[in-house]
Amino acid sequence: MKLPKWKFNAYYLSAVGIANIGGWIYLLSINLMIFDRTGSALAVAILYMIKPFAFMLMGSWSGSVIDRVSTKNLMIVLDVVRASLILFIPFLDPIWAIYAVVMIIQMAGAMFEPASFTYMTSQLPEVERKQFNAKLSFVHSGAFILGPALAGILFMLGSLEMALFVNTGMFLLSAGLIYLLPGHSRRDSSESTNFTWSTIVQDWHLVWKFSKTALPFVIVYMVFQLVMLLTAALDSTEVAFAKEVLHLTDAAYGSLVSVAGIGFLMGAISTNMLVKFTSAKQLMSSGTILVSIGYLVYSFSTNYVMASSGFFILCFSLALANTGFTTYIQENIPIEMMGRILSLYGMLVYSLQLLAVLTIGVAAHWFSVQTVVIVGSLLMLIISLFLIVSVNRLASSKVAIS
């Protein structure tokens, strides 16, 4: 089935937007539900550790599935699975049972992300990918603003349980929109769909072979991910920084998050204009260095105005960096291996993210929060400068693996 360009854009971007808004509702609802039932900040913190664990568990084999089945059908199944599991959460009583269901939901999400990326790349001509990625960034930014706002409205009008039921409906609506998209069958019909341990090991060897052949790409990929790892790790100190360093009230902290949302949105709008005359490498390099500068401003801040300025700069720049990085990946990873490569790389990245969050948390316990954030921001700036050097010096090229 061949869809007009505008219909594909409308269906796919709407599905992504609805799922992302639902994701925010789910995140806030489950956090509040766990805290209400336990009264423990540690119990809530465990929720944030489940996602990287889920990606680590799925990364070793999920890509082997993604590259051999219809990614469209897989996305529909995963959306329906997540919707069904969320529907059961309000009826679960033991906390361990909620954690177990959350783990399965995150495992489905760990497979959905590379499947969705592979599907999107396969459907877009190369010349249209950068512009489409800019639109996708705008959708993510809109969800960042609308998701928490809608969650707050649902919490006021009803209950946490009702919000989760609405979330179930949003995932099902996303699945319905994906159903309207054109199909995408596995690209290599010679590859068997019978998955064995031997099949997975063979896929690991293929990814290793690709990585050795495409070393310049792998270096740029991992250096960029290091910057993003530091942003995730430093984000874990956000509340402590706002309370202990800036001495903000809850309302002021809430408005700081709103500034971040505005920054995301303005960055996405600007990216949609910049993609017409900038390359993916330029977007990635400039965006990453500006993210580091934004974190530096934030880390040295002593008042609300300075902190909000840093927040705005770094969130504005994330739209540029992520659009450039997404396009760079699409330019350099063979579509027929995209699921396997992204899943295995993702497993490594999330393992490092978990380590980074734990390291930052321990450091913040032994030293002042501001000192940790300043050191982390300076390290991020150094890595960003290395990324610029890597992008400019290392030639990138597509590598076909047979």
Side-chain angles (χ1 to χ4, degrees), residues 100-163:
V101 171
V102 170
M103 171 65 83
I104 299 173
I105 291 171
Q106 294 290 13
M107 289 170 69
M111 182 176 279
F112 186 92
E113 285 187 19
S116 175
F117 193 92
T118 301
Y119 173 83
M120 173 184 71
T121 305
S122 71
Q123 296 296 316
L124 292 172
E126 287 190 36
V127 294
E128 296 178 9
R129 289 173 184 169
K130 189 169 56 172
Q131 186 71 51
F132 187 87
N133 292 334
K135 293 176 183 177
L136 191 61
S137 178
F138 181 81
V139 169
H140 283 297
S141 301
F144 180 84
I145 295 174
L146 293 176
L150 181 57
I153 293 172
L154 290 172
F155 296 159
M156 287 188 293
L157 295 178
S159 61
L160 298 178
E161 289 77 10
M162 187 190 79

Side-chain angles (χ1 to χ4, degrees), residues 1-312:
M1 179 178 64
K2 180 68 175 177
L3 279 181
K5 177 182 174 181
W6 71 269
K7 275 193 175 182
F8 175 83
N9 289 358
Y11 292 160
Y12 185 87
L13 293 175
S14 296
V16 170
I18 290 168
N20 270 269
I21 292 172
W24 277 105
I25 296 173
Y26 163 76
L27 176 65
L28 296 174
S29 299
I30 199 71
N31 282 352
L32 290 172
M33 181 176 291
I34 291 293
F35 188 76
D36 287 348
R37 293 191 182 187
T38 65
S40 167
L42 177 61
V44 177
I46 291 173
L47 286 172
Y48 287 87
M49 299 179 68
I50 290 176
K51 181 175 180 178
F53 272 121
F55 274 74
M56 288 161 60
L57 288 174
M58 297 295 288
S60 62
W61 62 270
S62 60
S64 298
V65 177
I66 293 167
D67 287 336
R68 289 179 170 86
V69 301
S70 165
T71 45
K72 172 190 169 180
N73 293 340
L74 181 61
M75 289 160 63
I76 293 172
V77 169
L78 292 172
D79 262 348
V80 172
V81 167
R82 289 188 289 181
S84 303
L85 290 172
I86 290 171
L87 186 64
F88 283 107
I89 288 179
F91 304 105
L92 299 174
D93 186 40
I95 295 300
W96 67 263
I98 296 178
Y99 285 149
V101 171
V102 170
M103 171 65 83
I104 299 173
I105 291 171
Q106 294 290 13
M107 289 170 69
M111 182 176 279
F112 186 92
E113 285 187 19
S116 175
F117 193 92
T118 301
Y119 173 83
M120 173 184 71
T121 305
S122 71
Q123 296 296 316
L124 292 172
E126 287 190 36
V127 294
E128 296 178 9
R129 289 173 184 169
K130 189 169 56 172
Q131 186 71 51
F132 187 87
N133 292 334
K135 293 176 183 177
L136 191 61
S137 178
F138 181 81
V139 169
H140 283 297
S141 301
F144 180 84
I145 295 174
L146 293 176
L150 181 57
I153 293 172
L154 290 172
F155 296 159
M156 287 188 293
L157 295 178
S159 61
L160 298 178
E161 289 77 10
M162 187 190 79
L164 287 173
F165 294 150
V166 171
N167 187 212
T168 294
M170 297 185 83
F171 272 117
L172 291 175
L173 180 56
S174 173
L177 288 168
I178 293 171
Y179 177 78
L180 298 175
L181 293 169
H184 172 219
S185 300
R186 57 192 179 94
R187 301 182 65 84
D188 187 354
S189 58
S190 66
E191 290 188 292
S192 171
T193 55
N194 296 321
F195 302 108
T196 64
W197 175 250
S198 177
T199 303
I200 294 171
V201 172
Q202 288 174 10
D203 287 341
W204 292 350
H205 285 304
L206 278 175
V207 174
W208 176 248
K209 181 180 178 182
F210 167 85
S211 302
K212 289 192 297 182
T213 310
L215 188 59
F217 161 76
V218 176
I219 291 173
V220 172
Y221 181 98
M222 289 302 173
V223 172
F224 179 88
Q225 291 290 9
L226 281 175
V227 176
M228 294 300 110
L229 286 177
L230 282 171
T231 65
L234 292 178
D235 281 348
S236 66
T237 67
E238 186 180 291
V239 174
F241 190 93
K243 293 291 186 179
E244 296 178 15
V245 178
L246 302 176
H247 307 293
L248 298 182
T249 63
D250 289 343
Y253 173 66
S255 67
L256 196 64
V257 176
S258 299
V259 169
I262 296 170
F264 271 123
L265 189 60
M266 295 300 293
I269 293 172
S270 300
T271 302
N272 274 274
M273 295 184 289
L274 289 171
V275 291
K276 297 175 182 177
F277 50 86
T278 52
S279 68
K281 293 179 183 178
Q282 289 171 333
L283 284 171
M284 179 170 57
S285 301
S286 60
T288 305
I289 197 72
L290 286 172
V291 167
S292 303
I293 292 172
Y295 260 108
L296 271 179
V297 173
Y298 166 72
S299 67
F300 281 102
S301 62
T302 54
N303 55 62
Y304 175 84
V305 174
M306 192 173 176
S308 60
S309 299
F311 251 45
F312 182 86

